[in-house]
Amino acid sequence: MPEVPERGPPLRLELQGIRKAFPAVVANDGIDLAVAPGSIHALLGENGAGKSTLMKIVYGVIRADAGRILWEGAPVDIASPSDARALGIGMVFQHFSLFPALSVAENIALALPATRDLGALSVRAREVSRRYGIPIDPARTVHSLSVGERQRVEVVRNLLQEPRLLIMDEPTSVLTPLAVRELFRMLRQLADEGRSILYISHKLDEVRALCDTATILREGRVVGRVDPRRESTRTLAERMIGAAPPALRRTPLDRRPRERLGVDWRALSPGGADGVGLRDLRFEVGGGEILGIAGIAGNGQSALLAALAGEMRAASADAVRIDGEPVGHLGVRARRRRGLVHVPEERLGRAAVPGMSLARNALLTACHHGLVRRGWLRPGAISAFARRCIDTYDVRCGGEHADARTLSGGNLQKFVVGRELLQSPTVALVAQPTWGLDVRAAAAIRSALLGMRNEGVAILLVSEDLDELFELSDRIAVIAAGRLSPARRIDEAGVEEIGRWMGGELPDTSAPERTGQDHAASP
Amino acid sequence: MPELDLVLAIAIATLGAGTPLLLAALGELVSEKSGVLNLGVEGMMLMGAAVGFAVAAESGHFAFATLCGVLAGAALALVFGFLVLTCRANQVAAGLALTIFGIGASALVGAGYTSRSLPAREAAGASFVADLPVVGPLLGSLEALTWLSLACFAAIAWFLYRSRPGLVLRAVGDAPDSAHAVGYPVIAIRYLAVLFGGAMAGLGGVFLSVYYTPTWVENMTAGRGWIAVALVVFASWRPAWVLAGAYLFGGVTIVQFHLQGVILASQIFSMLPYLATIAVLVAISRRGEAARRLAPASLGIPFHPER
């Protein structure tokens, strides 16, 4: 039943006037929400709209300042997650609540009322995972599982408690397209059994495909209750951000661009945060072109970026070329001096020093652009450069002397992107540029990247967001288990094929390619 | 056969010398498994030793003295717990402060007892082993606390890996945020682990001052608390290795005593536990991901709920 019934069977969950204020912000303000039995109810909103706070209140992780929670018609006080679980509420966290060093069976046991018999529990877990088509192996250690497998463990752990309401917090952000389809099938099966599902997301297509009701949050308030199946992505987006999302335009390339970044690297020892070794890296990126690298996190992206940025040096100078000049043997600073810039995935701690001002942070990578003379800092030039980043990229902050840590994720990312792109680069390495950003900040970043592309910069874009890659890239390749697929022209690439590659079924790169667009086959 | 007797004597003496190390290291192991690094073991042992000795000297009641020593260690651990768990102070700095505080406070408590001797007491070893041939008399000379430390080892190994509360404890040390989200009281569990660590360190101290030596000398633990901390790392947080390590380093002190000046300077032997620990640390960091997983992932990191 999509409509919330006024009379008849009691609602599974009803929230009345929930309010929660944090020192800096009112996260939830007078929120009403009603979830019917057997309904898949979307909680839709941008980052910072208050979705996660609201769900943490329902699950007892934090307590509301005001408001009432009704469970199946009766007012309840949910003081802790165990209270929530006792009522029949389960939650699958975005960043899972798993224990990496323990086995799957132990992880499951920890979330259940005391049981002594891990063996019997494993049998039950296998049974549930088979019933819902989500295979797991209770004996494995969690740290050896892929992200998708970890989510299955978290789901199975919840299902073993026979929840009547299952909260899913941004569950697809870590999944391949195929895994998303499996997840949706399972969620529909759960709803058919009469369980309610609260589905938190900012992905409009998913909400339209899966959910029968949507409550839309903006800045801590409810701004709409709709049937998402009757809305278009555009109308949902307008309600969610309060304005029409800016459209991006990417003009197709008319001719093959000249190579600006060339890579020919046989084998890379394991490096980077994910410890994945790379094999047979051969590709090039042309000026005025964006090469998108898709892939699930932990498949060698960080090693790839470290190798290209110069954090890892190659044995031969020819392994990496910038504008034809061999730079494989050079380190980070030497490569930067040749026009390479890098926007790393971690904004705080890698791209910017949290406790330093924006001006000082600008100095960190732009130091050879007239900000230092004979070893002495030039405060005026540094401030001017930082102000230029702030003005050009509309960074909302307390001026160039504000500490990096005081900025929101979106504004800091705009500043970092600005700092890198204002150095008139030849090659830009960009990792997860819009991860965790709201729609408006993400659109600003994307249009900045497209602008640089149109000015002739070669951009390597590593992202887990397929929509973003298809929107921005001229060509797209997939990285899986340390191997890089051939690159497809974006108008010839299919989501199906890319998704299959992301799952590890890469084509044999040694075979000649059909499309002729594969730069790996033509050195 | 005098050689056999000597070997046997050294082996038995090793059990005694290893006991305070084993007790303190087992306590520290439990504390670290919950994610709290307590570098104050030396201070807690000294407090246990001083308080235990003082009570034994005044009352002549050894069991009561042991209890008081245990409580003294736990009391110091409570202070530490308040600092690092409630106030979220830096664990390394707080632990170092605790050791320095313990050294001073124990000297104050024990000031009047430096030349005192304890009243005579019956050797409280297990009498049935004393009747065994050859090893009987030697084993019979062991203290009850030595047997208790072995029982503690078995109980802790079982607790950590075979019981649900032990699983919860390891979970808290591995991923406190997850444990909080699943509904376990992370701070309370860490308090219990820290208190247990303090009690065990206090027990180790009492064993030294009241049973093993038995005298009170200022700073009498002479670095045993530090060896206990190092042992936990040396053992890669595995109980069986803690046991082996305690007797290895206990044995080193005995051999050192017997061979003083014969082969190597005794100072070399004193360095061994630390050299071994450094070697293990290097080995762990070189063996990659799997080996690093042995260490509790949240070790030394304060836990903030609601973040």
Side-chain angles (χ1 to χ4, degrees):
Chain A
M1 287 231 337
E3 291 83 22
V4 172
E6 292 297 321
R7 301 258 188 276
L11 291 164
R12 179 68 33 91
L13 174 76
E14 190 172 1
L15 305 181
Q16 296 175 345
I18 297 290
R19 182 187 161 85
K20 175 77 190 176
F22 291 112
V25 65
V26 179
N28 289 160
D29 192 1
I31 292 194
D32 298 331
L33 180 83
V35 183
S39 157
I40 304 184
H41 190 120
L43 194 58
L44 193 60
E46 293 198 89
N47 292 297
K51 304 176 304 243
S52 291
T53 304
L54 188 64
M55 288 307 100
K56 282 182 182 161
I57 289 170
V58 172
Y59 195 59
V61 180
I62 53 180
R63 305 202 66 161
D65 302 336
R68 290 212 308 165
I69 302 178
L70 281 80
W71 177 253
E72 308 199 316
V76 287
D77 177 39
I78 304 176
S80 75
S82 19
D83 285 2
R85 283 201 301 275
L87 289 173
I89 302 175
M91 179 153 180
V92 175
F93 290 90
Q94 182 182 8
H95 307 288
F96 312 126
S97 57
L98 294 176
F99 306 96
L102 306 181
S103 75
V104 169
E106 286 174 327
N107 267 277
I108 292 173
L110 279 166
L112 296 177
T115 37
R116 230 158 254 215
D117 191 352
L118 274 186
L121 191 64
S122 301
V123 172
R124 270 179 67 206
R126 274 217 183 81
E127 203 176 274
V128 167
S129 73
R130 206 173 311 123
R131 173 146 60 105
Y132 295 102
I134 38 175
I136 59 168
D137 177 2
R140 284 180 66 187
T141 312
V142 164
H143 74 80
S144 71
L145 301 181
S146 76
V147 185
E149 288 172 313
R150 288 182 196 203
Q151 188 178 54
R152 286 186 210 151
V153 174
E154 181 115 352
V155 169
V156 167
R157 183 163 85 170
N158 274 288
L159 292 182
L160 277 171
Q161 303 172 66
E162 297 289 330
R164 278 172 288 169
L165 171 69
L166 187 60
I167 304 171
M168 305 283 301
D169 187 2
E170 305 265 2
T172 60
S173 54
V174 292
L175 299 183
T176 62
L178 183 69
V180 169
R181 231 174 332 171
E182 281 172 8
L183 176 74
F184 283 11
R185 194 187 46 66
M186 182 204 70
L187 290 177
R188 289 198 189 96
Q189 187 181 346
L190 289 172
D192 289 343
E193 291 174 359
R195 304 177 206 273
S196 304
I197 288 156
L198 251 170
Y199 187 88
I200 306 174
S201 182
H202 62 258
K203 295 188 181 167
L204 306 167
D205 292 328
E206 289 178 0
V207 168
R208 287 178 58 223
L210 180 71
C211 304
D212 53 50
T213 317
T215 297
I216 303 173
L217 294 188
R218 186 165 75 227
E219 288 167 6
R221 294 165 177 278
V222 176
V223 295
R225 285 187 191 80
V226 297
D227 180 348
R229 293 166 300 189
R230 293 189 201 146
E231 302 275 329
S232 73
T233 308
R234 192 168 181 84
T235 57
L236 280 179
E238 278 172 16
R239 284 168 178 271
M240 190 168 91
I241 66 176
L248 284 181
R249 189 164 300 156
R250 187 174 57 84
T251 50
L253 293 173
D254 39 6
R255 57 191 160 75
R256 255 299 282 285
R258 192 172 54 88
E259 173 200 296
R260 298 206 86 166
L261 172 68
V263 180
D264 184 356
W265 203 323
R266 301 271 162 227
L268 256 171
S269 57
D274 41 23
V276 175
L278 298 177
R279 280 171 295 157
D280 296 329
L281 281 183
R282 294 172 84 196
F283 64 91
E284 59 187 51
V285 190
E289 179 188 50
I290 297 182
L291 174 65
I293 308 282
I296 302 161
N299 272 288
Q301 286 95 330
S302 57
L304 174 67
L305 289 163
L308 297 183
E311 290 164 38
M312 271 193 290
R313 300 183 198 204
S316 96
D318 288 324
V320 181
R321 299 178 303 276
I322 294 177
D323 275 340
E325 182 190 357
V327 296
H329 58 299
L330 298 177
V332 177
R333 287 172 65 84
R335 290 193 202 182
R336 275 188 174 272
R337 226 170 263 128
R338 283 158 181 79
L340 180 131
V341 297
H342 182 193
V343 179
E345 179 179 347
E346 307 89 346
R347 277 154 220 160
L348 278 179
R350 189 105 185 273
V353 181
M356 274 167 47
S357 72
L358 291 180
R360 293 287 151 121
N361 271 298
L363 179 67
L364 284 181
T365 70
C367 51
H368 48 271
H369 289 269
L371 306 187
V372 181
R373 186 162 46 194
R374 287 197 212 99
W376 295 93
L377 303 184
R378 299 175 61 202
I382 295 170
S383 288
F385 180 77
R387 268 200 305 276
R388 199 146 68 86
C389 298
I390 291 167
D391 295 341
T392 315
Y393 289 91
D394 185 29
V395 180
R396 308 280 165 82
C397 64
E400 74 268 23
H401 296 298
D403 280 358
R405 72 154 75 86
T406 61
L407 270 67
S408 73
N411 280 309
L412 183 62
Q413 183 71 340
K414 281 195 267 186
F415 180 80
V416 170
V417 167
R419 176 185 73 185
E420 299 299 311
L421 295 190
L422 285 178
Q423 295 176 35
S424 13
T426 55
V427 175
L429 310 173
V430 183
Q432 311 283 8
T434 62
W435 185 85
L437 300 191
D438 62 40
V439 175
R440 246 169 306 189
I445 302 275
R446 286 177 190 152
S447 74
L449 291 176
L450 277 184
M452 288 317 286
R453 162 191 176 270
N454 296 339
E455 285 173 31
V457 180
I459 299 179
L460 183 90
L461 172 65
V462 175
S463 179
E464 285 173 61
D465 184 342
L466 270 187
D467 295 338
E468 172 171 274
L469 288 169
F470 273 92
E471 194 176 357
L472 294 180
S473 310
D474 297 290
R475 289 183 299 136
I476 186 167
V478 173
I479 191 167
R483 283 181 61 214
L484 196 65
S485 79
R488 285 258 189 276
R489 261 177 54 182
I490 203 72
D491 45 12
E492 291 172 2
V495 179
E496 289 288 316
E497 183 182 41
I498 298 294
R500 219 171 40 243
W501 288 359
M502 284 165 73
E505 297 173 41
L506 288 188
D508 186 2
T509 38
S510 57
E513 269 301 315
R514 291 163 292 151
T515 61
Q517 278 299 323
D518 170 32
H519 298 277
S522 53
Chain B
M1 286 185 291
E3 295 87 356
L4 181 66
D5 283 350
L6 179 66
V7 169
L8 256 178
I10 288 179
I12 299 297
T14 295
L15 287 180
T19 298
L21 294 177
L22 181 61
L23 287 168
L26 284 173
E28 179 69 7
L29 174 72
V30 170
S31 173
E32 292 194 15
K33 276 282 184 190
S34 82
V36 183
L37 175 68
N38 188 348
L39 295 183
V41 178
E42 179 87 356
M44 299 188 299
M45 282 182 90
L46 276 170
M47 275 310 277
V51 169
F53 188 88
V55 172
E58 295 297 338
S59 71
H61 207 297
F62 284 79
F64 181 62
T66 306
L67 179 69
C68 290
V70 167
L71 290 178
L76 220 55
L78 185 65
V79 174
F80 176 76
F82 177 76
L83 290 175
V84 303
L85 297 174
T86 303
C87 308
R88 291 167 200 149
N90 179 296
Q91 293 180 8
V92 171
L96 290 175
L98 194 71
T99 284
I100 296 165
F101 173 80
I103 292 171
S106 62
L108 184 68
V109 170
Y113 298 93
T114 316
S115 53
R116 292 273 291 271
S117 57
L118 292 179
R121 108 198 125 89
E122 293 279 310
S127 57
F128 64 94
V129 288
D131 301 333
L132 293 175
V134 190
V135 294
L138 285 166
L139 277 182
S141 70
L142 286 175
E143 294 291 344
L145 273 181
T146 298
W147 300 107
L148 180 73
S149 70
L150 282 167
C152 280
F153 156 72
I156 286 170
W158 179 88
F159 167 82
L160 283 176
Y161 295 99
R162 289 281 176 275
S163 79
R164 187 179 165 89
L167 176 63
V168 172
L169 181 88
R170 284 188 290 137
V172 164
D174 187 28
D177 294 307
S178 294
H180 177 67
V182 175
Y184 292 105
V186 172
I187 297 293
I189 289 167
R190 287 189 166 176
Y191 258 110
L192 290 178
V194 167
L195 284 178
F196 180 78
M200 291 292 277
L203 188 60
V206 169
F207 177 83
L208 267 181
S209 68
V210 176
Y211 297 91
Y212 191 66
T213 16
T215 51
W216 165 253
V217 184
E218 220 175 275
N219 212 355
M220 69 179 299
T221 51
R224 283 184 181 84
W226 291 110
I227 296 181
V229 174
L231 260 178
V232 177
V233 183
F234 169 80
S236 312
W237 295 270
R238 289 168 295 189
W241 283 77
V242 169
L243 181 76
Y247 290 136
L248 177 66
F249 295 134
V252 165
T253 56
I254 295 299
V255 170
Q256 173 192 336
F257 181 75
H258 281 273
L259 302 181
Q260 230 160 28
V262 179
I263 300 178
L264 284 168
S266 66
Q267 287 88 339
I268 302 276
F269 281 106
S270 314
M271 285 155 55
L272 274 180
Y274 305 102
L275 288 176
T277 300
I278 291 169
V280 168
L281 279 175
V282 171
I284 285 179
S285 52
R286 285 185 66 89
R287 262 162 57 205
E289 188 72 349
R292 248 174 282 143
R293 295 250 166 225
L294 290 168
S298 73
L299 186 61
I301 303 168
F303 173 69
H304 301 253
E306 285 215 13
R307 217 182 47 179

